[in-house]
Amino acid sequence: MQIVKTIKDKCKLCYACIKVCPADAIKITEGHAKILPDRCIACGSCVRICPYDAIEYLDAKKTVRGLLKSDEEVIATCAPSISGEFNDITNYRSFVGMIKALGFSRVCEVSFGSDLIGLEYRKLFDNFKGKYFITANCPAVVNYVEKFHPDLNDNMAPLVSPMVATTKVVREKYGKDVRIVYIGPCIAAKDEAMRFEGDSRIDAVLTFEEIRQMFKQAGINENNVEYADFDPPIGGKGSLFPISRGMFQAVDINEDLLTGRLISTNGSENVVEALNEFEQFTSLKQHLDLFHCDGSCIMGPGTSKGGQKFLRRSLVISYTKKRMKNWNKDEWEKNVNEYEKLNFSREYVNRDTRMAPPPEDKVQEVLKKLGKDGTENQAGCGACGYSSCREFAVAVCNGLARMDMCHTYAIENKQDYIKKLKSTNEKLANTKNALKESEATAQKEKEKLQELSTTTNEMFNKLKAGIIIVDNQQKIVLSNHAFINLLGDDAKEISDVVPGLVGAGLENLVPPSVKNFFNYVLENNKSVENKDIHLNDKLLNVSVFPIRKHHIAGAVFRDMYVPEVQREEIISRVSEVIDRNLNMVQKIGFLLGEGASETERMLNSIIESYQKDKKR
């Protein structure tokens, strides 16, 4: 289950999260920052730094409400840092009363678990036998070691955190089946809780922010609840656990600079540096007490934003002083003796997610693109989120970063892009002008074509002969008025709906013989001329001819009953008869010789008379 993730729509790509992530667990992809769960240590640094609230962590409020509504007993265990977080609540007993008002049966403070674990560390450090340890009280540090320094797993103190130790104590005292909800400042605790089972099981983890939200939604404040004390066992100086060195001072672990063997530090950068040096230098010879958050647990990512580190530190110390005034040492010692026999040991897992160093030539190639040739300072400006240009180049080679995350590179490329864009704009302007000229010319041509088309259509429709053009699907492409008039009233009605009968099927308008003429012409690309057909009460003469081979054919229809056509047709056909007879007579005259000359003269006279008449 992913503990931390980004909200895509809110991300503004400011790279602030990359700057604070110690695990390189954030990748810019698809226009937003993406948390890589395999590399994430759930430290929550990105959650606190994001100025747009574009990163969220796993919300446990719904789970807790479900537990509180069940018939099971639910106990809250509360981190000692409440005194630093809830400075707006005047009395800690009011705070306990508010938690119980939510429905928790008991509220136990983790300070007693801190006491027990602190005593275990004292035993460990007193008998370390030359082996130096790293404390395991911060779950983010544990995650970081297991994923990025797995060779140091053997140096991790084999002890559970105070949160888990308190859980064991509560189950031992109040029953194995009770449900336990931890309330604290840490997001990584949500991840830690998922790793334990049995008597170490924690059913849910609420941050201080989440418990505040639950108070608000339930309308609970210190003015409408009764005072309540923490339920036993009550802790001692373990209340100092949230601040640096607090737990060790609580159990008097030697921190003397000359005689002690303990380095305590907090803050992400310090933790990373301390682990690097611990692994690299055998001469370090110091135990490490590490907390990822700057200011230790009082400044965890689950606390309210804007808290003052030193004020919170002061409040924790003041709270502990007040508690110690009425502290029952005998009762505390009795409880310690009873519960220190529990098993507080733990083991660690090798979750190595380190990436192999990329080839040096690839790194140098990226640096060269960044304008780094090795002669200048490669410390970098840090705007990309990485501490140096080389670190950024390695991240690019490993697929964790993009070149355009470098502002210098992006600006230079932007300038080049602007130059190219300017050049392109000039070309576009020239092209635009050319297009305008071309468009004007095209418009003129279009107008001419429209005028020509109108003229052609007018001429086409003035022809007395019926004319149609047909495609290879026997659909009419074009027809004139004369053709429509030849077909009769049905065709005229269709033409009123579909002008020119365009798209009408030929088979529905003319006899099958005409359709066959078109089939022949389209298939053979040969004309069919002067075929007489009967249509309605008309005798039509049809000629069909190819226009576009196998695709388009045209036809001319003439009404043989129209006087002009009759006279023209009679003359044409008489001419054919005379031509044939003349040819025959010439052959006969040749055979008959001079005896036929008179007949020939007569026939020639007839022919001349015919030709004159034809011209008239």
Side-chain angles (χ1 to χ4, degrees):
M1 187 176 295
Q2 190 168 349
I3 304 299
V4 182
K5 62 181 179 179
T6 51
I7 305 171
K8 298 179 183 179
D9 296 339
K10 289 187 176 182
C11 180
K12 304 299 182 183
L13 291 180
C14 66
Y15 306 146
C17 54
I18 294 177
K19 294 179 184 179
V20 299
C21 180
D24 289 340
I26 302 175
K27 178 180 180 180
I28 303 300
T29 180
E30 299 177 358
H32 69 280
K34 180 181 180 181
I35 309 294
L36 304 176
D38 290 342
R39 296 180 63 82
C40 179
I41 62 172
C43 64
S45 298
C46 56
V47 177
R48 291 196 71 84
I49 198 68
C50 181
Y52 304 105
D53 293 327
I55 304 178
E56 62 183 0
Y57 56 82
L58 184 65
D59 191 334
K61 296 194 295 293
K62 183 177 180 180
T63 300
V64 174
R65 290 191 187 101
L67 291 173
L68 294 174
K69 289 179 181 178
S70 69
D71 295 330
E72 300 178 274
E73 182 180 5
V74 185
I75 298 176
T77 60
C78 196
S81 47
I82 55 164
S83 51
E85 164 69 20
F86 293 93
N87 60 325
D88 52 328
I89 298 176
T90 57
N91 191 302
Y92 79 90
R93 289 182 296 174
S94 297
F95 177 73
V96 175
M98 290 168 66
I99 295 176
K100 289 189 174 182
L102 286 172
F104 290 93
S105 61
R106 302 177 188 276
V107 181
C108 298
E109 194 177 17
V110 175
S111 58
F112 183 74
S114 299
D115 290 334
L116 290 175
I117 294 301
L119 293 170
E120 293 296 319
Y121 271 107
R122 189 169 69 182
K123 295 176 188 176
L124 184 68
F125 292 161
D126 287 345
N127 300 280
F128 70 100
K129 298 179 180 178
K131 179 180 179 179
Y132 293 93
F133 291 97
I134 303 166
T135 60
N137 295 318
C138 176
V141 171
V142 173
N143 288 339
Y144 188 80
V145 170
E146 288 185 333
K147 292 186 176 185
F148 300 100
H149 289 277
D151 295 337
L152 295 181
N153 279 354
D154 192 48
N155 291 95
M156 293 296 293
L159 296 171
V160 297
S161 66
M163 175 184 76
V164 178
T166 303
T167 300
K168 287 177 171 286
V169 171
V170 170
R171 290 195 189 280
E172 181 71 17
K173 183 174 183 62
Y174 296 108
K176 301 294 184 183
D177 297 327
V178 297
R179 296 300 194 110
I180 295 179
V181 175
Y182 172 73
I183 303 171
C186 184
I187 292 174
K190 292 175 179 283
D191 181 59
E192 181 184 22
M194 296 177 185
R195 303 181 63 176
F196 291 91
E197 298 177 348
D199 62 351
S200 302
R201 186 184 81 254
I202 299 168
D203 297 285
V205 173
L206 286 174
T207 63
F208 288 152
E209 279 188 323
E210 288 175 306
I211 196 69
R212 280 187 181 277
Q213 292 166 9
M214 291 186 72
F215 288 152
K216 184 176 181 179
Q217 290 165 0
I220 296 173
N221 58 65
E222 65 175 323
N223 295 322
N224 57 20
V225 298
E226 296 180 357
Y227 281 164
D229 277 307
F230 284 111
D231 291 282
I234 304 300
K237 291 183 180 180
S239 297
L240 295 172
F241 169 77
I243 60 178
S244 181
R245 301 184 184 86
M247 185 177 70
F248 301 114
Q249 290 190 19
V251 293
D252 297 324
I253 292 177
N254 184 9
E255 293 186 88
D256 186 275
L257 293 177
L258 295 177
T259 60
R261 296 186 178 274
L262 179 66
I263 294 176
S264 184
T265 189
N266 55 74
S268 176
E269 292 183 3
N270 290 335
V271 167
V272 171
E273 187 175 352
L275 288 172
N276 287 335
E277 294 184 16
F278 186 90
E279 188 170 34
Q280 184 177 358
F281 302 112
T282 56
S283 58
L284 188 62
K285 295 183 178 180
Q286 297 281 311
H287 301 298
L288 296 182
D289 176 33
L290 306 178
F291 286 89
H292 179 274
C293 296
D294 183 20
S296 299
C297 297
I298 54 175
M299 297 300 291
T303 61
S304 300
K305 291 183 179 180
Q308 289 77 31
K309 175 170 60 176
F310 297 104
L311 174 61
R312 289 180 175 179
R313 177 186 174 88
S314 176
L315 290 171
V316 169
I317 294 172
S318 297
Y319 170 75
T320 303
K321 287 180 178 178
K322 290 179 182 178
R323 293 290 305 279
M324 295 305 294
K325 288 180 179 179
N326 300 315
W327 181 51
N328 189 331
K329 183 178 180 181
D330 293 336
E331 184 68 20
W332 178 81
E333 289 178 345
K334 176 183 176 183
N335 288 329
V336 168
N337 291 331
E338 180 179 356
Y339 296 111
E340 68 178 352
K341 298 174 183 178
L342 295 174
N343 181 10
F344 298 121
S345 65
R346 68 167 298 176
E347 295 179 350
Y348 299 92
V349 179
N350 185 336
R351 296 188 284 163
D352 193 354
T353 55
R354 292 173 296 181
M355 292 182 174
E360 183 59 26
D361 59 331
K362 297 294 183 183
V363 176
Q364 291 301 323
E365 183 180 339
V366 174
L367 288 171
K368 187 176 180 181
K369 290 181 180 178
L370 295 173
K372 305 291 183 180
D373 59 6
T375 60
E376 67 288 307
N377 184 3
Q378 294 186 9
C381 63
C384 63
Y386 294 88
S387 59
S388 69
C389 292
R390 180 176 180 82
E391 185 180 339
F392 173 69
V394 170
V396 170
C397 293
N398 286 334
L400 297 175
R402 296 195 323 246
M403 291 293 296
D404 59 3
M405 291 169 60
C406 173
H407 286 192
T408 304
Y409 175 85
I411 290 171
E412 290 177 355
N413 277 286
K414 186 176 181 180
Q415 291 174 340
D416 291 340
Y417 174 74
I418 290 172
K419 291 179 181 177
K420 292 179 181 178
L421 188 61
K422 185 177 179 181
S423 175
T424 302
N425 285 339
E426 291 175 354
K427 292 179 181 178
L428 285 173
N430 295 332
T431 303
K432 185 178 180 180
N433 292 332
L435 283 172
K436 285 182 177 179
E437 294 176 2
S438 176
E439 189 177 308
T441 303
Q443 182 63 29
K444 291 179 180 178
E445 293 295 331
K446 181 179 179 182
E447 291 172 357
K448 288 181 180 179
L449 285 173
Q450 287 177 342
E451 184 179 351
L452 180 60
S453 175
T454 302
T455 302
T456 302
N457 285 335
E458 289 177 357
M459 292 177 62
F460 187 65
N461 283 315
K462 286 180 179 180
L463 293 174
K464 293 182 178 180
I467 300 175
I468 63 169
I469 298 174
V470 177
D471 63 17
N472 57 0
Q473 300 296 320
Q474 300 279 344
K475 302 290 184 182
I476 294 177
V477 176
L478 187 65
S479 69
N480 67 351
H481 295 331
F483 175 75
I484 296 170
N485 291 332
L486 286 174
L487 295 182
D489 293 337
D490 290 342
K492 290 178 182 178
E493 290 180 3
I494 296 174
S495 180
D496 290 339
V497 179
V498 183
L501 302 179
V502 176
L506 193 63
E507 69 275 6
N508 299 321
L509 299 170
V510 299
S513 57
V514 176
K515 184 175 182 295
N516 293 335
F517 295 160
F518 274 98
N519 282 336
Y520 175 82
V521 171
L522 288 167
E523 289 178 5
N524 299 286
N525 201 40
K526 293 181 179 180
S527 299
V528 174
E529 298 180 355
N530 296 320
K531 299 294 182 181
D532 293 337
I533 65 167
H534 288 279
L535 179 64
N536 299 328
D537 296 329
K538 297 181 177 67
L539 175 63
L540 304 180
N541 180 263
V542 182
S543 292
V544 184
F545 48 88
I547 295 176
R548 182 177 162 198
K549 189 176 181 180
H550 303 312
H551 285 84
I552 303 291
V556 178
F557 291 76
R558 294 186 300 164
D559 186 351
M560 299 302 294
Y561 291 161
V562 176
E564 295 86 348
V565 174
Q566 273 187 326
R567 186 170 180 277
E568 181 183 346
E569 190 65 22
I570 290 170
I571 293 172
S572 175
R573 294 188 182 185
V574 168
S575 179
E576 287 181 20
V577 171
I578 292 172
D579 287 341
R580 286 197 300 269
N581 289 336
L582 181 60
N583 186 38
M584 186 180 297
V585 169
Q586 287 173 338
K587 290 179 181 179
I588 293 171
F590 178 77
L591 294 173
L592 296 177
E594 292 181 357
S597 61
E598 185 65 25
T599 302
E600 183 178 353
R601 283 195 297 273
M602 291 176 65
L603 289 173
N604 284 333
S605 177
I606 293 171
I607 291 170
E608 289 176 2
S609 176
Y610 157 73
Q611 289 177 339
K612 290 178 181 179
D613 186 55
K614 185 176 181 181
K615 289 180 179 178
R616 287 196 299 270

